[in-house]
Amino acid sequence: MLAAFTFNTAENLPVGLLELMSESLRVSVAAVGLLVTGYGVTVAVASVPLAHVVRAVPRRHVLTGLLAALVVSSLVAALATSYWLLLVARLLTALAQALFWAVLGPVAVGLFPPEVRGRTVGALSVAGSLALVVGVPAGTWLGRRSDWEVPVAMPAALGLFSLVTIAVLLPTSRPEEEPAAYGTRPDTRRFRTVLAAGALSATGAFAGYTYIAKFLGDVSGFSPSTVSALFVVFGLACLAGVSITGVLLDRFPQSASATAVATQAVGMLGLYAAGTDPVSAVVFLVLMGGALGPVFMTTQNEMLHCAPGRTDLALAANSGAYNAGIAAGAALGGLVVSAADVRGAFLTGGLLTLGSCAVLLGGRTPHRP
């Protein structure tokens, strides 16, 4: 959980430090924004190939290696004196994270009985969500009171603690012999359905979410300070969503996915339709936030059940597809905002999310006792 929190914090830290990094490195804010975009694209492209390369390496060795890469890349990023060195350090972190989420799930759930695997996935997701609620705001606060290099270096300390703990305590075993190495109910059709629906929902979500600050200011009429507070509300809603969904995952794995995607669609379309009213905007923002984290969590959990082969490769495919959806959604939203307005981005994202829900429901697998 600490490693999940640390990786997600490292991924998103530049979002709160854009202006500080821009001024210090003497590059544009857009160039610093590429540190986030390039990160997501790297994860999308590298997840499956890396998982395939290390498929025979014991997971304890893989995880310690990935955390070592996080420690080194965080220190290099904090000491970087040029934009290009910082970019290289970020891409190294992205390569480590691309494999981290593929390996982490099977290792973590394999340590517990099958009947509580959903709750284990939920715990990891809560830790990842805390990065947005605690990690990034704390890093932003620290960076504004010192220098951006200080919070960028912090993941090195957290990652080192996780590295030592895993190296000492995690059992060493062949990956194919681990309890969660293969799906509990292999189903190629369901695997493809969940993969497609996850990518489509991510595209829809980030077509709107990328421009949420502009929407809340221009459409809902909130002040900049209130928008900042609403980002905290959004993060808390996301944390609440993964916490509640995690409790239900073991009993309703397929229903949880469809419910999360449907809630996301209601939130986005509600913002489009009623976002000019501040109270309605907050209500639908909370719905969208409450669904965003659970969507990825529920698809990851389904991969542990329906993977037609190794679960690490299935999780890598899901992570890659989701990150590809994030990049595509941000680009699509930008085109819609330029051609129409920011409300149009939420309409587009909501309709894509409805399509994702239809894909999930259409590909539902009947329960087999």
Side-chain angles (χ1 to χ4, degrees):
M1 288 176 70
L2 178 61
F5 170 82
T6 304
F7 262 110
N8 272 18
T9 299
E11 177 183 4
N12 293 287
L13 265 178
V15 173
L17 302 171
L18 284 179
E19 294 183 358
L20 292 175
M21 298 172 89
S22 173
E23 294 173 2
S24 174
L25 298 171
R26 297 179 181 177
V27 296
S28 67
V29 171
V32 179
L34 286 175
L35 297 175
V36 178
T37 306
Y39 196 107
V41 171
T42 301
V43 172
V45 172
S47 293
V48 173
L50 287 177
H52 183 75
V53 167
V54 303
R55 65 191 182 281
V57 181
R59 305 293 89 169
R60 182 169 72 91
H61 301 330
V62 173
L63 283 173
T64 52
L66 295 176
L67 287 163
L70 173 63
V71 170
V72 171
S73 61
S74 296
L75 292 176
V76 171
L79 297 173
T81 55
S82 71
Y83 171 79
W84 295 108
L85 183 58
L86 178 60
L87 179 61
V88 169
R90 288 282 298 172
L91 294 181
L92 175 59
T93 308
L95 288 172
Q97 183 159 337
L99 184 56
F100 174 77
W101 286 108
V103 173
L104 181 68
V107 169
V109 301
L111 297 172
F112 298 91
E115 59 268 19
V116 296
R117 286 182 176 179
R119 286 161 56 189
T120 307
V121 172
L124 297 176
S125 296
V126 167
S129 298
L130 278 172
L132 298 178
V133 180
V134 178
V136 174
T140 303
W141 178 86
L142 184 60
R144 289 175 179 171
R145 281 156 182 78
S146 54
D147 293 304
W148 65 265
E149 293 91 344
V150 176
V152 167
M154 289 303 295
L158 298 176
L160 184 61
F161 183 86
S162 298
L163 186 159
V164 172
T165 303
I166 287 174
V168 172
L169 298 178
L170 189 69
T172 302
S173 60
R174 294 174 61 85
E176 65 274 13
E177 296 173 352
E178 293 185 347
Y182 297 93
T184 57
R185 297 187 298 274
D187 186 332
T188 301
R189 178 170 175 263
R190 185 63 184 174
F191 167 75
R192 292 173 178 169
T193 296
V194 174
L195 200 65
L200 193 57
S201 69
T203 303
F206 284 85
Y209 176 67
T210 306
Y211 306 94
I212 188 66
K214 181 176 176 61
F215 182 96
L216 293 173
D218 294 355
V219 178
S220 303
F222 291 111
S223 67
S225 60
T226 304
V227 170
S228 298
L230 288 175
F231 268 103
V232 177
V233 172
F234 187 93
L236 290 172
C238 181
L239 181 61
V242 296
S243 300
I244 295 169
T245 306
V247 176
L248 304 174
L249 270 181
D250 292 306
R251 295 180 61 190
F252 312 105
Q254 293 190 16
S255 298
S257 300
T259 300
V261 174
T263 304
Q264 178 180 298
V266 171
M268 298 193 74
L269 293 174
L271 283 169
Y272 164 75
T276 53
D277 175 61
V279 175
S280 298
V282 172
V283 170
F284 288 114
L285 181 71
V286 168
L287 284 176
M288 182 181 173
L292 190 60
V295 168
F296 181 66
M297 177 179 71
T298 55
T299 58
Q300 289 285 85
N301 182 64
E302 284 216 48
M303 290 294 163
L304 293 169
H305 295 290
C306 70
R310 287 265 296 269
T311 52
D312 54 356
L313 293 175
L315 290 168
N318 191 52
S319 179
Y322 193 85
N323 277 276
I326 290 174
L332 176 62
L335 291 175
V336 174
V337 170
S338 299
D341 56 24
V342 71
R343 287 182 70 232
F346 280 81
L347 174 61
T348 302
L351 292 175
L352 286 171
T353 306
L354 276 181
S356 172
C357 192
V359 169
L360 273 177
L361 294 175
R364 184 184 291 271
T365 301
H367 176 69
R368 294 191 298 269

